[in-house]
Each structure stands twice: as C-alpha cells, then as structure tokens.
Amino acid sequence: EAGVTQFPSHSVIEKGQTVTLRCDPISGHDNLYWYRRVMGKEIKFLLHFVKESKQDESGMPNNRFLAERTGGTYSTLKVQPAELEDSGVYFCASSTWGQGATEAFFGQGTRLTVV
Amino acid sequence: AQSVTQLGSHVSVSEGALVLLRCNYSSSVPPYLFWYVQYPNQGLQLLLKYTTGATLVKGINGFEAEFKKSETSFHLTKPSAHMSDAAEYFCAVSANFGNEKLTFGTGTRLTIIP
C-alpha cells in the first residue's frame, strides 16, 4: 500500500513568486493535515481537511496560503506571493477515524526555500 | 489547549547505553500521546502511541514509553542504544485519535557515540 506522497521534495523560489505543494494521502483516508516546520522550531499545524471540507484552518499563517482538496482526494497548498519567512519543511499527513481509526501517517515533506 | 515540552534539544549517548528522551505535556482533556521519529532525509514515522489502557506502551525498534498522568509525562526509553537510532524524535499530543490535529514538541536530536 502506498504511503503519503508529497511533491516536490524540494523547491527553491524567489520572494514574490508562487509555489504549489501537493499531497497524495493514503487511499481511503478522509483526514488530511498540513503541518510546517520552520528551522529549529516545532512542527506546527496548519490545517485539517475531512474529505473535501476544511475542518480546522486555525493554523494558517495568513491569506497568502491557500489549501484545497479536490474531490476529497489529493490536496494542494499554494503560497502566493511567497515571503522569506515561509521557508521551512511542509509536511502532509493522513488518517482515518471511527472503526479502524489510525494514527496520522506522514509524508516525507517538501522543503521550501524562499530566497 | 494542548502543549508539549521536550527537555533537551540534543541528547548524546554511547552505543549500548540507555536512551531516555523526556516529554511532558499539558492537556485539558485526556490525552492521546505519540512519539514520532525522523531519520535523515526521511519523513516522520510513528514509534509508538498511547491511546487508552496499559500505560506502558511498546513500539518499534525496542523503544517504549510510559504514560504517567500524575507527572503529565510520556518519556521515551530504550535499554541499549544502537548506531541506527541516531535521528530526531518528536513527542506529540492530541485530544482525539484519528481525526484530530497533533501538537508537537520542538524535537530532540539523538546522537549515538561509537
């Protein structure tokens, strides 16, 4: 069974440009989460989808960040325009709940560098 | 609100020695507790979790952790360190299992001395 997949693994962009990160969750997982780790700091929650709906977006830093989850499958996180402080590693995770609930399974992350 | 404190951002132990990584949490509801590990150039992998029941939980690679409610702690231990244990370890807490965000500590980087 395929795990959580994130694209790209690395991205280097200039300040002011746009970047789109993609996450493919484990098939059948309704819950999809985005997290970010800025260098040296803790991994912080950004938002939570249940299927295609945003359940909790309390961690989104500002309106330069836009997350979508098409048809409750894969998700994208767009940063527009990117700023220097957006640099970090962005993790995606998925899980399922109810009967057969699972812990969150994480992808390998996308390392974003804004220069 | 929930929070996690991991004491020691860097821990070094000799190969074969005891590994002890400390985690204290704060939670207004009964917590679900997790330890994740990140090996170099890899994603986060679950080591072990506490949901309900037995307070001593065993995970992969010989790690275990004990939930102590009175001390609000969930320390990670391994009796004998191996070179392959070198990684960064994260303690996390959530208010539910399967459909709730995780709150992480700042991580502890474990170095194994040959």
Side-chain angles (χ1 to χ4, degrees), chain B residues 57-87:
Chain B
V57 292
K58 296 185 185 298
I60 61 173
N61 302 336
F63 284 92
E64 62 182 38
E66 186 170 11
F67 169 56
K68 291 187 176 180
K69 184 179 178 181
S70 61
E71 298 177 9
T72 61
S73 69
F74 191 57
H75 301 330
L76 181 71
T77 60
K78 181 174 180 177
S80 177
H82 192 271
M83 294 301 294
S84 60
D85 295 327

Side-chain angles (χ1 to χ4, degrees), chain A residues 13-107:
Chain A
I13 62 171
E14 292 185 352
K15 176 182 171 180
Q17 288 187 323
T18 297
V19 63
T20 300
L21 313 181
R22 173 168 169 149
C23 169
D24 287 78
I26 292 173
S27 177
H29 281 192
D30 289 338
N31 295 287
L32 187 149
Y33 310 83
W34 284 98
Y35 294 85
R36 176 175 74 173
R37 189 183 193 200
V38 172
M39 193 189 305
K41 301 276 184 76
E42 72 269 36
I43 300 169
K44 279 197 168 180
F45 166 79
L46 295 178
L47 89 160
H48 172 201
F49 284 100
V50 177
K51 297 185 180 179
E52 67 276 7
S53 300
K54 292 176 184 174
Q55 177 81 4
D56 179 358
E57 49 184 333
S58 61
M60 294 288 264
N62 51 61
N63 60 9
R64 295 184 295 102
F65 288 76
L66 175 63
E68 295 179 325
R69 189 178 183 191
T70 306
T73 56
Y74 71 91
S75 175
T76 57
L77 180 64
K78 181 190 288 188
V79 185
Q80 179 182 30
E83 298 289 344
L84 298 179
E85 64 264 25
D86 301 332
S87 296
V89 180
Y90 290 76
F91 291 103
C92 175
S94 71
S95 69
T96 190
W97 64 293
Q99 259 193 334
T102 71
E103 67 275 10
F105 290 84
F106 282 78

